[in-house]
Amino acid sequence: MIRTFVLLGVVGGLIVAYLTTFGVGPTGQLPPPESLLTKFRAEGVVPKNVDLAIDETPEDLSVFQVPQTDEAMLKAAEASYEKMLSGMNMDMGSGDGKMDMGSDNAAMNSDNAAMNGGNGSMNSGNGSMNMASGEMPKAEGGLMFMPDGPYDREITLTMSEWKFDKMKIDVKPGERIKFTVKNGGQIPHEFMFMSPPLMNAVKYRATRADWNLFEHEALYERALVLPGGEFTFVMQVQQPGTWMFMCMLPYHMEMGMMGQMATKGMAMDM
Ligand SMILES: [Cu+2]
């Protein structure tokens, strides 16, 4: 009797082993036919295609992510950006990747070297000024910046979203102007003066995939002005020309925070 059970067990085991190893035909190992998949999807047994899409929403803030609140701003800014720069009528031979912006400034620098030397006494004790080069006074691109000193007239410039209260400033060669720059807005801004060659550099970078507005050179730069904050400096116009002043925080300039300062007949269409 026991032999019968052992025999049944052995035979049964062999049958199960055979079925699990060889008993399933090749067709049984293929994916289910499309109709079956459709049926299962309809029944919700397997996820639909759309459910398998990768969610590309970044999980943390990175330098490449645009905060949702900024998207509308950026759209408006992008729409106006090309128009704004093309209106400035700069010919820089876009696309050849070569910039010829250093030579003019270099010449200006050498012209002004004597002036810098002559004003050496003004340089002392002003290391806290937030100038682009860290030096005071600084002369470049036809403008000279000093922390203070004698001046011919005063200009107060108030920043807000998204403009300066004066978008066009007329100046005369040689005059010294005391600027008071205020942030009358609700958010931080920055302030800088740029020459057309430096703006060309910005325009050039704007055509590149690795464009970064934080990469720029300015004749004068105050990196952060908090709401309600203000600062002053004295600027001398050293030669006829045109210059831009702006806030270059992301999308601020494109939204309108760029004005022009020019001597007579030198202003560009903007
Ligand atoms: Cu700003």
Side-chain angles (χ1 to χ4, degrees):
M1 195 63 185
I2 288 172
R3 281 185 190 171
T4 307
F5 282 120
V6 171
L7 193 64
L8 277 175
V10 168
V11 170
L14 284 172
I15 289 170
V16 168
Y18 173 81
L19 284 176
T20 53
T21 311
F22 307 106
V24 181
T27 53
Q29 295 170 22
L30 291 173
E34 187 60 36
S35 59
L36 206 55
L37 205 54
T38 308
K39 176 173 168 281
F40 287 153
R41 281 193 177 128
E43 291 170 357
V45 178
V46 296
K48 290 173 185 160
N49 284 338
V50 66
D51 296 331
L52 297 172
I54 296 169
D55 181 3
E56 291 180 343
T57 306
E59 291 182 357
D60 58 345
L61 282 171
S62 75
V63 291
F64 299 109
Q65 186 187 357
V66 178
Q68 282 186 351
T69 49
D70 284 2
E71 274 182 19
M73 292 294 187
L74 278 167
K75 266 186 187 162
E78 282 165 8
S80 65
Y81 185 65
E82 199 54 39
K83 185 166 167 270
M84 181 184 72
L85 285 181
S86 64
M88 288 164 62
N89 195 27
M90 289 185 214
D91 182 18
M92 55 169 290
S94 60
D96 63 3
K98 288 179 183 172
M99 296 286 302
D100 184 22
M101 53 167 287
S103 55
D104 286 347
N105 281 338
M108 289 172 191
N109 280 343
S110 60
D111 286 348
N112 293 325
M115 197 171 295
N116 273 343
N119 289 320
S121 62
M122 296 180 62
N123 207 0
S124 58
N126 288 312
S128 61
M129 279 296 289
N130 185 13
M131 293 302 201
S133 72
E135 292 174 16
M136 288 293 289
K138 188 193 177 200
E140 189 185 336
L143 301 177
M144 181 163 71
F145 294 94
M146 299 153 276
D148 47 37
Y151 52 88
D152 304 307
R153 65 170 166 140
E154 282 194 78
I155 291 176
T156 299
L157 208 48
T158 302
M159 305 188 282
S160 60
E161 300 82 36
W162 309 93
K163 60 183 171 58
F164 294 89
D165 64 335
K166 299 170 191 67
M167 298 299 279
K168 196 165 180 302
I169 299 175
D170 296 319
V171 294
K172 295 174 196 149
E175 74 173 333
R176 298 162 300 180
I177 300 164
K178 178 178 180 179
F179 275 91
T180 300
V181 182
K182 297 181 179 180
N183 183 354
Q186 305 294 310
I187 60 173
H189 292 292
E190 63 178 3
F191 179 82
M192 66 188 70
F193 268 107
M194 281 201 168
S195 61
L198 294 175
M199 282 304 294
N200 270 343
V202 171
K203 187 181 181 184
Y204 169 68
R205 289 188 179 109
T207 66
R208 292 173 56 102
D210 58 351
W211 173 42
N212 184 341
L213 267 182
F214 291 108
E215 285 178 53
H216 58 252
E217 295 170 71
L219 303 177
Y220 174 95
E221 181 168 0
R222 174 68 63 135
L224 183 65
V225 189
L226 295 174
E230 66 173 74
F231 61 96
T232 64
F233 59 89
V234 174
M235 182 198 74
Q236 183 171 31
V237 181
Q238 298 188 292
Q239 63 188 50
T242 183
W243 301 269
M244 269 63 72
F245 52 92
M246 76 238 356
C247 169
M248 216 176 269
L249 290 178
Y251 70 70
H252 291 205
M253 178 176 70
E254 294 89 327
M255 291 293 288
M257 294 193 72
M258 181 169 80
Q260 183 173 202
M261 180 180 81
T263 58
K264 194 170 184 192
M266 296 295 282
M268 296 183 294
D269 287 342
M270 281 175 61

